[in-house]
Amino acid sequence: MNLKFLGEVYVTLLVIVDPPGMVPVFLALTGAMPSRQRMKAGTQAVLLALGVIVGFAVAGQTLLDYLHVQLPALQGAGGLLLVLVALQLLTGKTDEADQQAQTTNVALVPIGTPLLAGPGAIVATMLFVRRADGLDEYAVIGIGIVLVMLTVWLVLRFSGGIVKLLRPAGIEVLTRIAGLLLAAIAVQLIADAVDAFVELYTAAHAG
């Protein structure tokens, strides 16, 4: 096994996914849930992110080519999704009618994607796949992705202790802060997508 390549995959994806940075958003979205539902949401989010990243690693470029979608479009879509969630957090208008549905929705969007399995993680994985030489290195990429998701799951799993310290008032403050952070991330994603489109347009016309 190429341990150097494994370390590169693990560290790169871990930095992009940023588990410590995920904790405030995760707690803001799940702080009002019972402990068991919070754990379930974390597990669902990690499994979804794992599936999305592996899926793009296997067939991402083929799928994007077939749909005539460029990576900046994927990035912009992720930014728009985060804008919607950020507005909910900032205004406090979340759907609490069905707690079970809320748990699933939060796990899928925005935690599972685009926060965990976002454009950055997807692009990095696709680049690693392009570099890989043979089945051994493909396996190394797969192991690296699984290890990153396991790390994320452990961080989310033990973030529940923070909820007990913060109490409802603290969770309310954290929710507003997380909404502001998400809005900033969303604007950055959209700005990067626009910048990438401008570069592609300029390069196409320069050629």
Side-chain angles (χ1 to χ4, degrees):
M1 182 183 290
N2 189 339
L3 293 179
K4 182 180 178 182
F5 189 44
L6 176 61
E8 188 179 348
V9 172
Y10 178 78
V11 171
T12 301
L13 290 179
L14 194 68
V15 169
I16 292 172
V17 174
D18 187 21
M22 273 294 305
V23 170
V25 178
F26 178 72
L27 292 181
L29 291 168
T30 64
M33 296 179 185
S35 177
R36 183 173 295 181
Q37 283 194 323
R38 190 183 310 113
M39 288 170 54
K40 181 180 178 182
T43 302
Q44 288 177 337
V46 169
L47 289 176
L48 173 67
L50 178 62
V52 170
I53 292 176
V54 170
F56 272 95
V58 173
Q61 195 60 57
T62 303
L63 178 63
L64 292 180
D65 290 343
Y66 177 76
L67 296 173
H68 304 291
V69 172
Q70 294 175 324
L71 287 173
L74 194 66
Q75 198 166 6
L80 291 174
L81 273 174
L82 288 185
V83 166
L84 296 176
V85 178
L87 289 174
Q88 282 189 336
L89 291 178
L90 287 169
T91 59
K93 294 179 181 178
T94 56
D95 182 15
E96 298 177 355
D98 189 342
Q99 191 68 37
Q100 185 65 31
Q102 185 187 14
T103 302
T104 303
N105 291 339
V106 163
L108 301 182
V109 180
I111 300 172
T113 181
L115 287 177
L116 293 180
I122 288 170
V123 171
T125 303
M126 290 170 64
L127 291 176
F128 279 127
V129 170
R130 287 182 189 176
R131 283 177 46 194
D133 182 20
L135 291 176
D136 288 348
E137 292 197 345
Y138 288 134
V140 166
I141 294 171
I143 293 170
I145 294 170
V146 170
L147 288 176
V148 168
M149 289 299 117
L150 182 60
T151 304
V152 172
W153 182 81
L154 288 172
V155 170
L156 298 184
R157 166 69 178 80
F158 292 104
S159 64
I162 302 175
V163 174
K164 296 177 182 177
L165 293 174
L166 292 176
R167 300 180 183 275
I171 291 293
E172 184 73 18
V173 173
L174 187 63
T175 299
R176 299 296 182 265
I177 294 173
L180 186 61
L181 292 174
L182 271 185
I185 293 170
V187 170
Q188 187 64 56
L189 279 174
I190 294 170
D192 289 344
V194 171
D195 187 50
F197 272 124
V198 170
E199 286 185 11
L200 287 171
Y201 180 82
T202 305
H205 282 71

